Amino acid sequence: MLKLVNVQSFYGKIQALKGINLELHEGEIVTLIGGNGAGKTTTLMSISGLVKPKFGEIIYRGQQIQTLNPDEIVKQGLVQVPEGRRIFPDFTILENLEMGAYLRNDKAGIKADMDYVFGLFPILKERIQQSAGTLSGGEQQMLAISRALMARPKLLLLDEPSLGLAPLIIKDIFNIIKQINKEHNTTIFLVEQNANQALQIADRAYVLENGEITLHDKASVLLNDESVKKAYLGMS
Ligand code: ATP
C-alpha cells in the first residue's frame, strides 16, 4: 500500500532522514518506534507532503506521491493525526469534525462517518457544541483521531497518540486504534515513543535511530528482542 525507497529529508543542512526504506501492506498496523529526535515525525511529514524529501520515492497504491501537495495526498485517503493534536481550540467539536471533511462533498457519507466517530467516542457527542480547547488532553486526542477519520482515510498516520496522556487513557486510545483498523478497514502507521504499547497492537515494527532504520520485524519478535527491550522497553 505504501513504500518508502531511500527517502532522505533535510531541514536546511541538517539531514533528518538518511535513506529510509519501509513498506506497509493493506490492513496492517505498523509501528515506527525510536527515541527523541530519531526522525519519526519527519518520516510522517515526508509521507503526508508537509516535508519534501530531497531524494527517494514515496509510492502510495502504485503512484509516486513525493511531489504532490498535502491536500492532494489527503484526497487520496492518506491522512495524518499530528503530534500535539492540533485541534482548533476555539471551534466547537462539531466544527472541528466538519473541518476534517472539508475536501468531501458526499453528505450521506459524512453523516455516516460522524455517527461512526460518535460511536467510538460518545463523549464527543455529549460535548458537540463545546469549544475543543476546553476538552481534556485525552478528549482532544479523541477529537484529533475523529477529525482525521472524517477525511475517510485508507491509511491513517498517527504521530505519538499517547503523548502526555495518563496510562488508562492510553490503553483506551490504543484499543480504539485497533478497532478502527479492524472495523473501518483502515491501515495504520503508528509513530510512538511508547514502544511497549505500540508493539502490543502492531503487526510489524520498524526501529528508527538517528534518521536510519536499524531493525524491522514482526512486532511480537521485537517485543522479545534484547536490544529493543534494553533501549525502548525499559528492561535490561
Ligand atoms: P520526538 O519523538 O522527540 O518528537 P522525532 O523522532 O519525531 O522526535 P523529528 O521531530 O523528526 O524526530 O526530528 C528529527 C531531527 O530533525 C532532529 O534532530 C530535530 O532536531 C530535527 N528537526 C526537526 N524539525 C526541524 C525543523 N523544523 N528545523 C530544523 N531541524 C528540525
Side-chain angles (χ1 to χ4, degrees), residues 11 14 16 35-42 83 160 193:
Y11 298 103
I14 298 170
N36 276 323
K40 303 182 300 297
T41 297
T42 307
E83 184 181 8
E160 301 216 30
Q193 280 207 42

